[in-house]
């Protein structure tokens, strides 16, 4: 809800005073749509945060549009809808905006050629959203078990038709993927380097924080000496896309 | 030899003119020690570069001191001496200055407490040099096969006595190591973050370039939001240490 509050603030309706019943009511009345973060706002790992179901129910009953935005690229919108439902909250795919979906939408909006491939350093969510948008991806979980043994005459051969490398959170990150993504970005002319987000850490489980996509993205920045196009929060792509919807 | 040439240049003995028999002779006469890079200068992967044995032999016969400097942290000085000898060049451990050794010397020079541990994201060379300098390391190749499965109630417990994390090139990089190193740097008070170097890529095999330590170091910068102390080239630590020797 940060975005909404900021908007109100800049319009001068609400100064930096703390929320009270009256200005909360004013805030709610003055906006039509509410954007929610997920990790740490709706849930922590797989546990729902107190008060969330009641709040969402109240907003829905007032006819507000709800949008759930998450930088966590591990799941697709479909998988997130399932997660919401398993936690007892009814949310449709259309109400979810994950950075995995943002990556696919960035390619679509920018007319990425369908005959080109996308190499994924990340998990299922990205590959699923790319497929739904009509793109062919390689890498991802498939390459999670590949190993490297640096020995004479050994090399990784990469697909010259890869036109974009999408990097998100990847718990199966390995040297093979790092080399593959690096080769595509360095050697395939015009190859895009897209980051789902650059979050340093995330609440991937309920007990501790874990290195986020920012860790894998930085690794590829380190080996390619290039900066990525970021599609998740806090990039402008995300907000512009949401506003158009 | 870059360093030597630069020194001469700044003293005005040699301007930026190309080397010819006369100024080459002047250059050689005017310096006592020659510093050589290894990857791409002495060898490429496991192949010796043409003309190297003769050049080194000539310099030795003139009584010059030779120092071989490499940012590649995968091997210890002992392992590098073996590599030199296997390529037919007689070089002693004392003539080698690897970034794995630099990391150990940095801790020694800065009185790193012997009762504290060092977590290694990197390969054998670093662990070997740390042990030779009297430090206890954990991680390294040991943790290369550890896997993570992000599921509820799962966490990585880290050793609170880790006082430094050394990051170098690691072909067995994985999410477990990234999380472990991140936890030590973020949660152990005063924990040092040491990078052997930040090279984007290196000639680890003869057929292609591979992501260098700069890739793993950047990953840890990404998850910790901290910058490392760099001990290899082009850091000042390396040159100051060499000058003292």
């Amino acid at each position: 809800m940060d975005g909404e509050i900021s908007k109100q603030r800049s319009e001068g309706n609400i100064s930096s005073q703390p929320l009270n019943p009256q200005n909360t009511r004013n805030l709610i009345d003055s906006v039509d749509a509410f954007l929610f973060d997920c990790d740490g706002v709706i849930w922590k790992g797989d546990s729902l945060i107190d008060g969330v179901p009641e709040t969402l129910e109240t907003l829905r009953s007032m006819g507000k549009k709800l949008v759930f935005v998450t930088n966590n690229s591990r799941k697709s919108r479909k998988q997130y809808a399932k997660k919401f439902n398993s936690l007892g909250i009814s949310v449709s795919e259309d109400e979810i905006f994950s950075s995995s979906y943002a990556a696919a939408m960035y390619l679509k909006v920018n007319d990425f050629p369908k005959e080109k491939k996308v190499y994924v350093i990340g998990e299922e969510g990205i590959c699923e959203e790319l497929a739904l948008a009509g793109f062919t991806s390689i890498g991802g979980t498939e390459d999670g078990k590949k190993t490297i043994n640096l020995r004479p005459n050994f090399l990784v051969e990469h697909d010259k038709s890869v036109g974009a490398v999408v990097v998100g959170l990847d718990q199966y990150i390995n040297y093979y993927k790092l080399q593959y993504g690096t080769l595509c970005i360095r050697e395939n002319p015009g190859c895009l380097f897209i980051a789902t987000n650059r979050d340093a850490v995330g609440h991937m489980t309920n007990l501790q924080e874990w290195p986020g996509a920012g860790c894998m993205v930085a690794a590829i920045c380190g080996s390619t000496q290039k900066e990525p196009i970021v599609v998740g929060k806090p990039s402008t792509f995300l907000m512009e896309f949401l506003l158009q919807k």
Side-chain angles (χ1 to χ4, degrees), chain A:
Chain A
M1 272 191 300
D2 278 359
E4 295 300 339
I5 293 173
S6 305
K7 193 167 164 256
Q8 293 300 320
R9 277 183 190 153
S10 68
E11 288 168 3
N13 294 342
I14 297 179
S15 65
S16 57
Q17 70 207 45
L19 284 176
N20 59 42
Q22 187 51 49
N23 65 14
T24 299
R25 183 75 220 187
N26 291 349
L27 170 67
I28 291 171
D29 287 346
S30 66
V31 294
D32 298 323
F34 284 79
L35 267 59
F36 291 91
D37 200 341
C38 296
D39 288 314
V41 172
I42 304 291
W43 55 61
K44 224 172 179 179
D46 285 314
S47 313
L48 207 57
I49 289 172
D50 282 351
V52 164
E54 299 80 358
T55 307
L56 299 182
E57 201 43 57
T58 305
L59 291 172
R60 275 204 199 283
S61 71
M62 297 168 88
K64 303 296 179 187
K65 185 172 165 59
L66 306 183
V67 182
F68 300 90
V69 184
T70 176
N71 263 356
N72 189 331
S73 62
R74 296 177 61 217
K75 293 188 169 74
S76 61
R77 285 168 305 153
K78 194 174 181 174
Q79 289 171 312
Y80 274 116
K82 261 192 199 163
K83 178 168 179 171
F84 271 103
N85 290 314
S86 76
L87 292 170
I89 301 178
S90 175
V91 167
S92 75
E93 278 179 51
D94 287 344
E95 293 174 308
I96 299 165
F97 196 90
S98 59
S99 65
S100 50
Y101 177 58
M105 286 307 102
Y106 181 87
L107 292 175
K108 197 170 181 180
V109 164
N110 288 284
D111 296 322
F112 183 76
K114 291 273 157 97
E115 66 276 14
K116 290 226 172 192
K117 295 194 190 96
V118 182
Y119 187 73
V120 176
I121 296 178
E123 303 189 16
E124 266 180 53
I126 299 171
C127 301
E128 220 172 287
E129 291 295 351
L130 287 171
L132 281 170
F135 299 115
T136 306
S137 71
I138 57 173
T141 46
E142 283 290 304
D143 285 352
K145 287 188 177 159
K146 297 219 171 125
T147 56
I148 290 289
N149 181 354
L150 289 173
R151 60 180 188 276
N153 301 318
F154 181 70
L155 86 166
V156 168
E157 293 201 55
H158 74 286
D159 190 327
K160 305 291 187 297
S161 73
V162 169
V165 175
V166 174
V167 185
L169 174 65
D170 191 339
Q171 67 182 307
Y172 309 112
I173 186 73
N174 59 30
Y175 199 53
Y176 177 89
K177 290 187 192 184
L178 292 169
Q179 170 69 330
Y180 204 107
T182 301
L183 289 172
C184 293
I185 294 168
R186 285 169 59 112
E187 299 186 6
N188 290 3
C191 183
L192 300 171
F193 170 19
I194 296 171
T196 58
N197 67 93
R198 300 196 75 161
D199 293 356
V201 290
H203 297 97
M204 264 67 81
T205 71
N206 49 332
L207 297 180
Q208 67 185 178
E209 289 185 325
W210 296 83
C215 176
M216 292 81 207
V217 170
I220 295 294
C221 293
S223 57
T224 61
Q225 306 276 283
K226 294 203 173 155
E227 285 298 305
I229 299 155
V230 182
V231 295
K233 292 180 288 182
S235 81
T236 53
F237 172 72
L238 172 77
M239 292 314 287
E240 281 161 17
F241 188 84
L242 280 173
L243 281 171
Q244 282 190 350
K245 279 189 94 181

